Amino acid sequence: MKKIGLAFLTMSFFLLLSGCNTMKGLGEDISEGGKALGSIAEDVQKKM
């Protein structure tokens, strides 16, 4: 559980640092973040 939290915080930090100039860029950033979280969730489910 700690790994998921750490991964989420790290990802959020880098998303905030990278920023975006347009709403399209914001949507792409959010989409990529969702994909990363989905991948992490799948990995956790496989380990259970």
Side-chain angles (χ1 to χ4, degrees):
M1 192 66 172
K2 288 182 181 181
K3 287 183 181 180
I4 294 172
L6 180 59
F8 180 76
L9 288 174
T10 302
M11 181 182 60
S12 297
F13 176 74
F14 285 111
L15 283 174
L16 288 172
L17 282 181
S18 66
C20 64
N21 294 324
T22 64
M23 290 305 288
K24 181 180 177 185
L26 176 62
E28 290 172 357
D29 289 347
I30 292 171
S31 177
E32 290 300 317
K35 288 177 186 176
L37 286 175
S39 176
I40 292 169
E42 287 175 7
D43 290 344
V44 170
Q45 284 181 339
K46 288 178 184 177
K47 291 180 182 179
M48 294 180 98

